[in-house]
Amino acid sequence: MSGSMVKTLITANKSFPVQPEDKPLENRYIMTKYVIGIDYGSDSCRALVVDASNGKELAAAVRNYPRWMEGKYCDPAKNQYRQHPLDYIEVLEASVKEALAKCPAGVAENVVGISFDTTGSTPALTDENGTPLALLPGFEENPNAMFILWKDHTAVKEADEINKLSKEWDIDYVKYEGGIYSSEWVWAKVLHVLREDEAVKAKATSWVEYCDWLPALITGTTGLKDLKRGRCAAGHKAMWDPEWNGLPDEKFLTTLGPELAGLRDNLFDETYTSDAAAGTLSPEWAEKLGLSTDVVVGVSAFDCHMGAVGAEITPNTLVRAIGTSTCDILVAPYEEMENKLIPGICGQVDGSVIPGMVGLEAGQSGFGDIYAWFKNVLSWPLQFLDDEAQRKAIEDKILPALSEEAAKIPVEESTIVATDWLNGRRTPDADQTVTGTIAGLNLGSSAPRIFRALVEATAFGSRAITDRFAEHGIEIKEVVGIGGVAKKSPFVMQTMADVLNMPIKVSVSEQAMALGAAMFAAVAAGVYSSVEEAQSAMGQGFEKTYYPIAENAAQYNEIYKRYIELGKI
């Protein structure tokens, strides 16, 4: 093709020839490379098709997990939340094919990479081939053979045992995990399930994180030694670190629980950052998805870590994925982290976010879930309405109306103080046994006033996290919000900006997690040479900034002291 017939789009030192505008639309789409970012959340899977040259989002498709939506395998009263691997498989094929069907002709043939992000820690026990036990005969309906969702808190006892033994051991295996191991993380969950279920214990050979299993599934990787484990999941949740040659040793694990005997030999020593390739699409999955077997599948990671990349994280920027809970991500250069251990966070791991920097994770176990809980409390009488449509219409109006009225209440009238631990506490200082508190109620405490206190509580919990980083010399210069709450709740975001007393930028992308996964896919596929290069080319920028109101910030500084005191009671 001659130079007069094409123009070249130069992005981040990469050339992508594209057809001139007077050519048919479908022809212009066959010259560019495309990537697919797949975001597996708590309720659904989202597939996003992205132009690798500029990050333009061509099409997306969302599919809910069918069994999960029926409430199967879960027992909220016991904090048990399990998901069937078939849910993940079925929505993967459906969402990718639907998203590609929305794209112009020629896009599918030019997809060069796929990467996943998932919730975590969400592990499952496996057989010797790395197959989750729930996919084997006899285990299809056994919740203990399924993936144990991040918010499953059945393993509080086991987490306590890990923390106690770590402090007594000659190696402190939790020191890079913030010094406190959580019941939300893999070893506590695995130990709990093995203790609870003899059949699972007899069959289990190893375990796999959700984010590591999906690439293995679609590349056709079988055998535990061939399965590439991501640095993100291993470092933040599995006590993996090069200092002690990988995972905790066999003696530590069997002292913790004899049920863990033999697992260590069927796990891994090496991990991979998410700019690496896990393999290419197997013929089976290439056919299912309508793609080529040349498509590179990247090593995957947790949703908030990839979301931070999608939100263009840089050093000294705190990216907050704000939804039902929050996950907070920072990256720091090696020199800034030298000889530093940040206590009470969810880990500091070399390369868990951007290779060449230390990734730090924190977060809150409850955020939007707290608002949803209050809405459900207020909605209780609506069950007596016979008109389901009317009931739903009223329920949908509750949170917007509460936000509108709560915003009218002056800060100085915030006499109700609450803690944000209705789902336990993730950071600082993980403790899933603590509970929420609302103090200062009187007969004038209306629903909007209580709601305002709950919003302030989630903001105070955010402040506790930023304070912890600051106390240990990690400077935060700006905050970026991604996720549903950041995009849709101005009252919540302004309150948080006032409490943190710093600006909060909101990412343009509605799908920062999937966009981050797409950026990693572009690097794994060789379109870009680094994550930073992909961010520069594919980043979408920011749509809004919430600036702190000085008067409110000063008043919240005093109310925050009451929050801290209430948490000590």
Side-chain angles (χ1 to χ4, degrees):
M1 186 176 293
S2 69
S4 62
M5 295 178 64
V6 298
K7 61 184 179 178
T8 299
L9 175 65
I10 306 296
T11 306
N13 300 319
K14 294 287 179 179
S15 297
F16 299 89
V18 296
Q19 293 282 349
E21 295 298 326
D22 58 352
K23 293 293 183 182
L25 180 65
E26 63 271 16
N27 290 338
R28 288 192 283 112
Y29 277 88
I30 67 173
M31 304 302 293
T32 299
K33 295 177 181 179
Y34 300 93
V35 287
I36 301 176
I38 306 178
D39 170 35
Y40 273 84
S42 296
D43 300 322
S44 62
C45 165
R46 180 184 303 272
L48 181 68
V49 183
V50 177
D51 184 331
S53 70
N54 57 20
K56 179 181 178 183
E57 300 171 7
L58 272 69
V62 180
R63 291 296 180 99
N64 290 326
Y65 310 135
R67 296 160 188 79
W68 171 259
M69 299 311 290
E70 294 176 23
K72 288 186 173 181
Y73 317 120
C74 299
D75 186 347
K78 297 189 339 187
N79 285 316
Q80 175 181 302
Y81 297 95
R82 310 290 166 85
Q83 292 183 329
H84 203 293
L86 286 177
D87 271 359
Y88 303 158
I89 294 172
E90 291 165 8
V91 298
L92 172 58
E93 181 177 357
S95 62
V96 170
K97 290 175 74 171
E98 180 184 340
L100 288 170
K102 296 177 181 178
C103 294
V107 169
E109 290 86 340
N110 288 278
V111 169
V112 297
I114 292 177
S115 284
F116 298 93
D117 70 77
T118 75
T119 66
S121 176
T122 302
L125 286 155
T126 77
D127 68 2
E128 66 278 2
N129 293 316
T131 302
L133 297 186
L135 295 176
L136 301 179
F139 293 94
E140 300 95 334
E141 298 298 314
N142 185 341
N144 291 324
M146 298 175 189
F147 282 94
I148 308 167
L149 191 62
W150 65 270
K151 68 178 183 178
D152 185 296
H153 291 162
T154 54
V156 171
K157 176 178 178 290
E158 286 75 14
D160 288 343
E161 293 172 17
I162 291 171
N163 288 315
K164 182 176 183 297
L165 184 61
S166 294
K167 300 310 176 190
E168 298 169 351
W169 209 252
D170 57 341
I171 298 174
D172 184 0
Y173 287 116
V174 301
K175 71 177 183 177
Y176 295 116
E177 310 265 9
I180 303 174
Y181 203 78
S182 170
S183 64
E184 294 183 350
W185 300 348
V186 56
W187 283 113
K189 289 176 172 178
V190 165
L191 180 56
H192 175 77
V193 167
L194 292 174
R195 285 174 171 174
E196 190 173 71
D197 196 314
E198 284 294 329
V200 166
K201 177 185 171 185
K203 186 64 176 177
T205 300
S206 186
W207 55 258
V208 65
E209 279 282 359
Y210 182 7
C211 61
D212 294 332
W213 176 65
L214 287 169
L217 174 73
I218 67 172
T219 57
T221 302
T222 58
L224 295 168
K225 297 302 181 183
D226 295 324
L227 197 157
K228 286 190 175 180
R229 310 282 185 150
R231 177 75 52 82
C232 175
H236 284 282
K237 313 300 181 187
M239 299 185 282
W240 179 93
D241 195 87
E243 184 176 316
W244 42 79
N245 299 315
L247 296 167
D249 65 25
E250 178 77 0
K251 185 176 181 182
F252 175 87
L253 294 173
T254 54
T255 302
L256 182 63
E259 299 86 354
L260 299 176
L263 289 186
R264 180 68 176 76
D265 289 341
N266 293 311
L267 285 162
F268 54 95
D269 295 317
E270 187 175 3
T271 64
Y272 300 83
T273 53
S274 293
D275 57 338
T280 56
L281 279 179
S282 68
E284 176 190 1
W285 275 95
E287 182 178 356
K288 283 183 178 182
L289 301 179
L291 296 170
S292 163
T293 54
D294 293 330
V295 172
V296 173
V297 180
V299 170
S300 296
F302 291 146
D303 45 13
C304 50
H305 297 71
M306 285 193 165
V309 169
E312 301 169 63
I313 193 170
T314 58
N316 306 116
T317 298
L318 178 69
V319 175
R320 311 204 77 213
I322 311 171
T324 55
S325 64
T326 77
C327 189
D328 302 339
I329 301 295
L330 281 162
V331 293
Y334 295 147
E335 58 270 20
E336 188 175 342
M337 290 302 299
E338 190 173 358
N339 299 319
K340 286 182 181 175
L341 287 173
I342 315 300
I345 64 171
C346 301
Q348 52 191 73
V349 180
D350 182 11
S352 65
V353 183
I354 295 179
M357 285 189 271
V358 177
L360 301 102
E361 179 189 342
Q364 292 164 269
S365 292
F367 203 95
D369 266 356
I370 295 173
Y371 313 151
W373 163 79
F374 190 54
K375 182 194 80 168
N376 291 339
V377 171
L378 297 180
S379 301
W380 185 82
L382 296 178
Q383 66 181 300
F384 301 113
L385 287 176
D386 293 329
D387 188 329
E388 184 175 347
Q390 182 185 20
R391 181 168 66 246
K392 181 70 164 57
I394 294 172
E395 286 179 350
D396 289 345
K397 291 177 180 178
I398 290 176
L399 284 180
L402 285 172
S403 294
E404 182 179 349
E405 291 303 311
K408 299 175 183 177
I409 301 169
V411 176
E412 60 267 21
E413 294 184 21
S414 294
T415 56
I416 304 170
V417 180
T419 57
D420 55 313
W421 304 333
L422 275 75
N423 194 31
R425 184 178 63 227
R426 183 175 296 158
T427 55
D429 305 321
D431 188 345
Q432 300 305 329
T433 67
V434 297
T435 56
T437 304
I438 304 175
L441 296 170
N442 59 37
L443 294 178
S445 299
S446 64
R449 289 180 181 274
I450 297 172
F451 181 70
R452 182 175 184 109
L454 293 173
V455 170
E456 290 169 346
T458 55
F460 292 146
S462 307
R463 166 80 178 269
I465 291 169
T466 60
D467 281 0
R468 178 60 58 90
F469 282 119
E471 289 163 5
H472 293 274
I474 305 299
E475 183 181 12
I476 298 173
K477 293 182 178 178
E478 65 177 4
V479 179
V480 173
I482 59 176
V485 173
K487 301 286 283 186
K488 299 174 184 177
S489 304
F491 169 58
V492 174
M493 298 305 291
Q494 184 61 55
T495 302
M496 192 189 309
D498 292 343
V499 169
L500 297 180
N501 196 19
M502 64 179 71
I504 304 176
K505 298 192 296 187
V506 178
S507 181
V508 165
S509 178
E510 296 272 355
Q511 303 159 69
M513 273 76 160
L515 178 59
M519 290 176 181
F520 276 107
V523 180
V527 178
Y528 297 105
S529 61
S530 69
V531 174
E532 292 93 334
E533 191 180 347
Q535 285 180 298
S536 177
M538 300 172 68
Q540 300 299 295
F542 308 94
E543 66 178 20
K544 183 173 185 177
T545 300
Y546 292 91
Y547 294 96
I549 299 168
E551 181 182 355
N552 290 352
Q555 294 180 80
Y556 275 134
N557 203 45
E558 295 303 312
I559 301 172
Y560 176 65
K561 296 175 184 176
R562 291 161 51 197
Y563 165 86
I564 294 296
E565 289 303 314
L566 180 62
K568 293 177 181 178
I569 297 175

